[in-house]
Amino acid sequence: MVLGLSGFSKTGRAEAQWLWQNPGPTANDLKGVHFISQSTGWAVGHFGEVLKTTDGGTTWNLKRIGANIGGQQEPWFKAVYFINHLTGFAVGASLGTAGVIFKTTDGGANWTSQRTGPAAINSIQFVDRFTGWAVDSAQSSGSNSTILKTTNTGGTWVAVSSVAAVLKSVHFVDEYVGWAVGAGGTLLKSTDGGTSWVAQTSGTTDFLMSASFLDQDRGWVVGYNPAFFPTESAILKTTDGGASWELQTSGTTEALNFVDFEDEENGWAVGGTQTNSLILKTKDGGKSWTSQSFGIGEFTALQSVSFTDTANGCAVGNNGRILTTTDGGENWIDQSSGTRSGLTAIQMHNYNVGWVVGAGDAAGAGVVLKTTNAGASWSRQTLGSSLLSVNFVDASLGWVVGANGAIFKTTNGGGNWTSQTSGTSQGLRSVYFRPYTPPLPDVPGLSGWAVGFGSTILKTTNDGANWIPQTSPVSGSLGSVYFADQNKGWIVGEPTGGGGIILKTTNGGTTWTSASSAVAPLNSVYFVDQNTGWAVGGIGAFGIILKTTNGGDAWTYQVYGTAPALRTVHFTDPDNGWAVGDSGAMLATEDGGINWKPQTKIFGEQHVGVFFTSPSVGWVVGSRGSIMRTGCPGCD
């Protein structure tokens, strides 16, 4: 039985501040990069992230600037440009104020907002310490994009022109001559500092993304065909100031997002797809291009590249991808640390020791990460199947479960794992062991349960040496299992036909009954005692949280559709709890769920696991290999 709906509002606890632990330095998309020397450069991206390196890209310091707008950290930066080691600009878009320009005069230590406007700013470039341009983007074809100009180092920005096109990039070679490119093969030239523009014939209808010019005559433009069945991506070259353009052979249909030439022979273009990073290099001015492909996981398309000479360069892209080269792009070094495959569950034994599981980088593989220093570093092991759940009963003894009925056990804290026979090929989504209390000398081992797809419920009473099927009263996918003692337990999931289901047992799973139903699939259940528990779930943008105070006989909706689908819930005590889920959703409560406070979103993908060791110290894991920590001992 499900009862009425309670409130959804803010609580009094100060909002958590989150530290990225994996992958490094970020898993958010990076959209722009600019180096001022071989050693010093900056990269910018989503959720107000600005990164700086002073060692050529080997290490990066991440800073988040902006504010909470619309429930998430803003703005989303699209480009960065530095005039010198101290003065630079980051531009992009914000939900609340659309186009933004931020400026720093101390090398990125501090930033101030200079301008807001009606549309996202896609590109910025300076020709000297005073004079620069930026372009914002029309919202749709046929709308106007604005070209902005400053002549006082960004003290003021003036809209010098409005163009009926979707513009993506601007590039000037001096204070008078420049080009702007955009959708539908748009290629515009100005000879009066951007006040007026003349259309040039590009010879393509591709979405032109970036331009790089050496002088008033020589330049290149790249883009791509956004059609479902794209044609070869465009690379255009001019040697006469754009009076004519030569279409060069790119050899790829993948998107080309940025181009950078250092001289008339050496240039690079970057792009790719969701699963592939692409770098093209030319040594002959574009007569021929050599492709370098990096098939390195999800969300890896490169978005920008910056060279300081013909040898030293850096490329950045989606999923926090950072690549550097010191030999002109013959070889690239991946400067992004840690795993980037999807993580599914976390359990911390204490502040220092814990485990995370998920998918491995190879198809069908699983990964176990362990930390002994609160997540400052994680050791990695690969197991044979993608893993979905982890449960340790102490610092040594634990189990992980996953695809194809996989169950692995460790007796030395994850140093070694032994495969156990589950007797099923169904994927197992959750595992939970409940120690006997008090220990009994005649009991051969621990009781544990595993649940998953195909209505699978398994139980063991001898540390997993044998797993015995139990009967589910419903068909469907079972997502989470939790026991308050050896007899009383709950399972949540999605029955065949949709909605959500809560199962209950009072005899250790010998019999399970359908205790309640819900309007959407349920993914996680957690109890703090035999009576008080929560279940979370949802679908798409509709998330739900339910609570029971009578052992699961009746449930009350605490959140109903006011958050995205939620994946996991965890409480440290009857008052303090967290729920996380899709689209970077994180909710916190300090009054048992009477009120849930949405946290500022700093990650746009899926949070799947959450575990707190105290009301203010916890971890969240999810897609793209994301691991974040908040708090420290003594923070409560």
Side-chain angles (χ1 to χ4, degrees):
M1 177 173 63
V2 174
L3 303 179
L5 176 68
S6 64
F8 184 94
S9 62
K10 292 186 176 182
T11 63
R13 180 196 294 141
E15 183 165 316
Q17 301 299 307
W18 292 92
L19 168 71
W20 275 108
Q21 292 195 313
N22 185 83
T26 182
N28 283 317
D29 293 346
L30 298 176
K31 295 296 187 179
V33 62
H34 188 234
F35 272 68
I36 201 71
S37 68
Q38 290 184 14
S39 59
T40 304
W42 295 260
V44 297
H46 289 178
F47 300 99
E49 290 187 350
V50 179
L51 293 81
K52 180 179 180 179
T53 181
T54 56
D55 57 12
T58 302
T59 60
W60 295 80
N61 178 54
L62 187 152
K63 186 179 184 68
R64 204 178 297 278
I65 64 176
N68 178 341
I69 300 173
Q72 70 181 22
Q73 182 76 28
E74 293 283 357
W76 288 23
F77 289 120
K78 294 176 176 290
V80 60
Y81 193 94
F82 269 72
I83 300 169
N84 52 45
H85 281 79
L86 295 177
T87 303
F89 301 82
V91 301
S94 170
L95 287 177
T97 54
V100 295
I101 300 176
F102 278 75
K103 179 181 178 180
T104 181
T105 57
D106 55 13
N110 298 281
W111 295 81
T112 57
S113 177
Q114 284 200 300
R115 182 188 188 276
T116 59
I121 296 176
N122 292 322
S123 176
I124 186 169
Q125 188 238 352
F126 280 73
V127 294
D128 56 41
R129 59 177 295 192
F130 301 109
T131 309
W133 295 262
V135 294
D136 71 17
S137 178
Q139 300 302 306
S140 61
S141 179
S143 301
N144 284 1
S145 290
T146 304
I147 299 171
L148 308 170
K149 182 178 181 180
T150 182
T151 56
N152 57 3
T153 319
T156 56
W157 291 87
V158 178
V160 293
S161 187
S162 180
V163 178
V166 179
L167 296 180
K168 299 298 291 185
S169 180
V170 62
H171 189 105
F172 274 75
V173 295
D174 56 38
E175 60 182 314
Y176 300 108
V177 180
W179 286 262
V181 301
T186 298
L187 214 167
L188 308 174
K189 180 179 180 179
S190 176
T191 56
D192 58 8
T195 301
S196 61
W197 296 82
V198 176
Q200 295 188 318
T201 302
S202 66
T204 181
T205 58
D206 278 9
F207 209 125
L208 300 180
M209 297 293 292
S210 174
S212 178
F213 279 78
L214 298 176
D215 51 38
Q216 293 188 11
D217 295 319
R218 299 170 297 168
W220 292 260
V221 173
V222 300
Y224 67 97
N225 182 344
F228 186 76
F229 296 105
T231 56
E232 183 173 315
S233 296
I235 301 178
L236 307 174
K237 178 182 179 180
T238 183
T239 56
D240 56 12
S244 62
W245 289 88
E246 170 195 357
L247 185 62
Q248 298 188 316
T249 300
S250 69
T252 182
T253 59
E254 296 182 11
L256 297 178
N257 297 318
F258 204 91
V259 61
D260 186 25
F261 270 76
E262 287 301 303
D263 58 31
E264 62 181 347
E265 302 295 336
N266 294 282
W268 302 263
V270 300
T273 64
Q274 273 201 344
T275 57
N276 186 56
S277 296
L278 177 67
I279 300 177
L280 302 182
K281 177 184 178 179
T282 181
K283 299 178 183 179
D284 55 16
K287 294 177 183 178
S288 61
W289 291 85
T290 301
S291 172
Q292 293 175 304
S293 181
F294 305 85
I296 41 183
E298 292 183 288
F299 308 105
T300 57
L302 297 173
Q303 301 292 338
S304 184
V305 62
S306 177
F307 274 76
T308 55
D309 51 45
T310 57
N312 296 279
C314 179
V316 303
N318 294 353
N319 200 2
R321 182 65 59 192
I322 301 175
L323 304 173
T324 62
T325 182
T326 57
D327 59 8
E330 297 297 322
N331 298 281
W332 292 85
I333 301 171
D334 186 0
Q335 302 292 1
S336 313
S337 63
T339 182
R340 291 176 179 270
S341 55
L343 302 177
T344 52
I346 180 172
Q347 182 183 350
M348 299 297 295
H349 175 65
N350 54 36
Y351 174 73
N352 287 305
V353 178
W355 303 264
V356 174
V357 299
D361 295 330
V367 63
V368 180
L369 306 177
K370 181 179 179 179
T371 184
T372 57
N373 54 11
S377 61
W378 296 84
S379 62
R380 175 190 172 101
Q381 290 178 301
T382 300
L383 298 180
S385 297
S386 180
L387 301 174
L388 298 174
S389 181
V390 56
N391 183 242
F392 274 74
V393 296
D394 56 35
S396 300
L397 183 59
W399 286 261
V400 295
V401 301
N404 305 312
I407 302 178
F408 296 91
K409 174 186 175 182
T410 182
T411 58
N412 59 1
N416 303 99
W417 294 87
T418 302
S419 177
Q420 296 189 319
T421 301
S422 67
T424 181
S425 61
Q426 296 286 347
L428 299 175
R429 299 177 62 192
S430 178
V431 61
Y432 189 79
F433 274 76
R434 190 74 195 183
Y436 284 99
T437 306
L440 302 176
D442 57 340
V443 174
L446 300 173
S447 291
W449 294 262
V451 302
F453 297 100
S455 309
T456 300
I457 307 175
L458 304 177
K459 180 180 181 180
T460 180
T461 56
N462 56 4
D463 291 10
N466 301 101
W467 289 86
I468 308 301
Q470 294 188 318
T471 302
S472 169
V474 297
S475 62
S477 174
L478 304 179
S480 178
V481 58
Y482 191 92
F483 271 74
D485 57 32
Q486 293 298 311
N487 293 309
K488 196 171 186 179
W490 303 264
I491 295 173
V492 300
E494 179 182 7
T496 302
I501 191 69
I502 302 174
L503 308 180
K504 178 180 178 180
T505 182
T506 57
N507 56 13
T510 301
T511 57
W512 290 89
T513 59
S514 298
S516 187
S517 61
V519 296
L522 295 173
N523 299 313
S524 177
V525 61
Y526 193 89
F527 274 71
V528 293
D529 55 41
Q530 294 196 17
N531 293 310
T532 308
W534 294 260
V536 303
I539 185 168
F542 185 91
I544 55 176
I545 301 177
L546 300 96
K547 180 180 181 179
T548 182
T549 57
N550 60 2
D553 292 332
W555 295 79
T556 300
Y557 283 107
Q558 292 189 316
V559 171
Y560 189 90
T562 52
L566 298 170
R567 299 291 167 180
T568 309
V569 61
H570 185 256
F571 274 72
T572 57
D573 55 57
D575 294 323
N576 294 281
W578 290 74
V580 301
D582 294 356
S583 301
M586 291 193 291
L587 309 178
T589 182
E590 56 181 355
D591 56 15
I594 296 173
N595 298 284
W596 288 89
K597 178 184 177 182
Q599 303 295 287
T600 300
K601 190 183 301 182
I602 60 171
F603 183 57
E605 302 300 317
Q606 191 179 71
H607 295 311
V608 186
V610 59
F611 197 98
F612 272 68
T613 55
S614 75
S616 61
V617 180
W619 289 257
V620 170
V621 304
S623 59
R624 302 194 185 189
S626 60
I627 304 176
M628 298 184 295
R629 192 197 81 202
T630 186
C632 58
C635 294
D636 294 347

